Amino acid sequence: MHSVVCIKQVPDPAQIRVHPVTDTIVRKGVPTKINPYDLFALGAALELRDKFGGEITVLTMGPPSAEDSLRKALTFGADRAVLLTDSFFAGVDTLATTYVLATAIRKIGETFCRPDIIITGNESIDRETAEVGPGIAKRLGLLKLTYVAKIVGLDLISRTIEAECRAEGGVQVLRTKLPCLISMLEANNQTRRGVVTDVLPAGRAPIVKWSAQEAVVEDISKCGAPGSPTIVKRVFAPSPGSEKAGLVEAAEQPTKVLMKPILNSQPRLETDLVAQARGF
Amino acid sequence: MSNITKAPTPAAGGRAGAKKELSEHFKAYKHIWVFVEQERGQVHPVSFELLGAGRKLADKLKVDLAAVVIGPEGEATRNAALESFCYGADLTYLVTDNVLSEYRNESYTKALTDLVNTYKPEILLLGATTLGRDLAGSVATTLLTGLTADCTELDVDADGSLAATRPTFGGSLLCTIYTLNYRPQMATVRPRVMPMPERVARDAARIIIHPLHLVEEDIVTKVLSFVPDRDSAKSNLAYADVVVAGGLGLGSPESFQLVRQLAAVLGAEYGCSRPLVQKGWVTSDRQIGQTGKTIRPKLYIAAGISGAIQHRVGVEGADLIVAINTDKNAPIFDFAHIGIVNDAMHLLPALTAAFRARLSPHSRDRLAS
């Protein structure tokens, strides 16, 4: 059983700022980490390996410094890591990202072993689009399950997978065929850390680095900025609130101080609530 | 929206200056479409909100607004098509087939991409629900066009291009994104971000029925079961008129019941900030903010919530924001309308008691005022 887990190294979103003069995104000095959703993806892959054996390849696209996150993924128990790094990959949107990652997954299949399942986080905490997982599946012609809360079953003989997927107002239990792609929500699987049998081989595990050429990207115009149909024209910081709240410092009877403005500002609220309480 | 600030500036990669050079075959793409989402016979309100937003864009571009209704045969789907006219659609594209009775990515992607390839819209909008985001990502990749997720503002430029503004980096920044040279220009918008337009009773106009050409045997993915959320989790948080929420300032999972109690007295829904979900105190469907629900209540009471930007973007649409926090420098006081520097642990029970007395049918307080 071969799982490919796609991860992303993300900056801490809360620490990103717009430069006050140049209006560009300031990333310098902002700490990075593995996108939290991707840790659940890796956790799911580890559970599958525990049950079925086989191996896990983690894959990321990013600057050379993204090696840090791959190294970390190896200490969590991945068997192999692949870093896609090339100036041709810079300035991508989600569509171009899926082109590069899908190409690399094909190459992983040829170089090492064909993947049975590709697992991604449902979305990244910096861009939050939830588009990359489904896009990779589409590019590879694979079936996919998104918003996966839990893998309920997997059968390597009938080559099927069953999963609980979050839907509006409930959970859909879906079954589909392997190979497929699943994107994981923040799930119940606890990301395990520091298991000795996971950590010890990590130091020896190789990090494979591929440029666009090495990953056999055939059409360079489909990656990076030229392959991205969306164009970011403006980046700006949200404006601060128009005025600061009128603060009531620990007043003697805060409930009185509070209830009057609430009820005054929402004249219909009280009648509505009373009517509701009477059961109308 | 109130978030517009500085002058346009070049963004990463120097592509901000890119010009619209639409190739010949894309020039046939016209009109605005809104995907009307149904779940088990109910139209998701976000679809009507999008028809409202789409109507404004269509009027500005002087084009038609079309609703796209995909679903099983029967009354619910037909009603969804008819209702769309009451929320501003000029025409409706309809794909009905019983293999569409439950949402599956394969069948819905085929239905929607077939429609787009046949009738060629310039703009396609979907709700950023779990269903809408799943569908939009697949359709955009199939059509090899641009998709901007979770927009908070939609507009059209002088040259007719869709300007889609969305928060990024967890709401720390906003960016305006264009799909200049590909069609359709796709965007998703979260529930409650756009105001609900008024329903105006109207007769159905044009309905264009399009076949699916798909049988059950063609679809690999099977729905084994659907487990509805427990009643307690079936919250209508996004659409509630009054919301009470708690944050880390509550100190312990047990204190969260103070939030529930005030909510119960006010007939309100309760919610929380992200840390409480991460700590496992509250389930994720109650999370308010950038990665949770966007709310637009008449009254929002935030207890012990510091008000990080990720929370702020989800609650800014509230008419009245009341914040209770012990830290007078908490960022929530930057956008709350009424701020109380006090311990939520003491104030919540006091408020619960005060409202209970006031709202009782025999309240002397109320009758006196």
Side-chain angles (χ1 to χ4, degrees), chain B residues 49-252:
Chain B
E49 294 161 13
L50 281 180
L51 282 169
R55 184 71 261 167
K56 286 188 193 132
L57 299 179
D59 291 345
K60 221 166 166 178
L61 289 174
K62 299 190 172 62
V63 297
D64 285 343
L65 173 68
V68 177
V69 177
I70 297 173
E73 287 158 21
E75 198 162 346
T77 304
R78 202 166 48 241
N79 280 345
L82 298 178
E83 272 301 289
S84 301
F85 292 102
C86 303
Y87 288 94
D90 297 306
L91 72 157
T92 297
Y93 292 97
L94 184 60
V95 182
T96 58
D97 193 304
N98 283 337
V99 301
L100 298 164
S101 64
E102 287 232 44
Y103 172 76
R104 279 177 290 179
N105 181 275
E106 290 168 81
S107 47
Y108 273 67
T109 300
K110 177 169 181 355
L112 189 51
T113 46
D114 281 358
L115 276 176
V116 168
N117 286 328
T118 310
Y119 299 101
K120 304 185 191 327
E122 60 192 300
I123 293 174
L124 171 56
L125 307 176
L126 300 92
T129 58
T130 49
L131 189 164
R133 288 171 114 209
D134 183 72
L135 179 60
S138 304
V139 170
T141 317
T142 310
L143 298 168
L144 299 176
T145 190
L147 165 62
T148 307
D150 293 6
C151 300
T152 51
E153 194 188 356
L154 299 172
D155 203 356
V156 283
D157 272 14
D159 70 351
S161 305
L162 178 70
T165 300
R166 73 180 301 259
T168 185
F169 293 106
S172 309
L173 297 176
L174 293 164
C175 55
T176 304
I177 298 179
Y178 289 76
T179 299
L180 288 179
N181 299 320
Y182 298 85
R183 291 294 179 268
Q185 307 160 83
M186 290 180 61
T188 64
V189 179
R190 295 181 4 154
R192 279 305 229 175
V193 166
M194 300 291 173
M196 176 65 81
E198 202 177 321
R199 182 184 185 280
V200 179
R202 274 177 62 203
D203 287 338
R206 219 148 33 106
I207 297 182
I208 296 168
I209 296 170
H210 194 76
L212 179 65
H213 295 309
L214 196 65
V215 291
E216 184 57 45
E217 290 69 41
D218 296 337
I219 309 174
V220 179
T221 303
K222 304 294 176 199
V223 181
L224 302 181
S225 62
F226 181 81
V227 185
D229 289 329
R230 283 172 293 118
D231 275 351
S232 59
K234 223 185 264 171
S235 67
N236 200 16
L237 188 53
Y239 288 88
D241 278 343
V242 183
V243 174
V244 185
L248 270 185
L250 292 172
S252 73

Side-chain angles (χ1 to χ4, degrees), chain A residues 7-28:
Chain A
I7 68 169
K8 183 180 186 187
Q9 179 166 296
V10 294
D12 180 351
Q15 297 194 41
I16 288 280
R17 293 284 175 270
V18 177
H19 191 282
V21 180
T22 60
D23 262 350
T24 48
I25 295 171
V26 182
R27 289 170 181 267
K28 212 175 174 187

Side-chain angles (χ1 to χ4, degrees), chain A residues 18 126 128 146 231 244 270, chain B residues 134 173 178 290 334 366:
Chain A
V18 177
D126 58 344
E128 302 172 307
T146 57
I231 295 165
K244 240 181 137 65
E270 187 164 8
Chain B
D134 183 72
L173 297 176
Y178 289 76
Q290 173 70 9
D334 293 340
R366 192 180 67 255

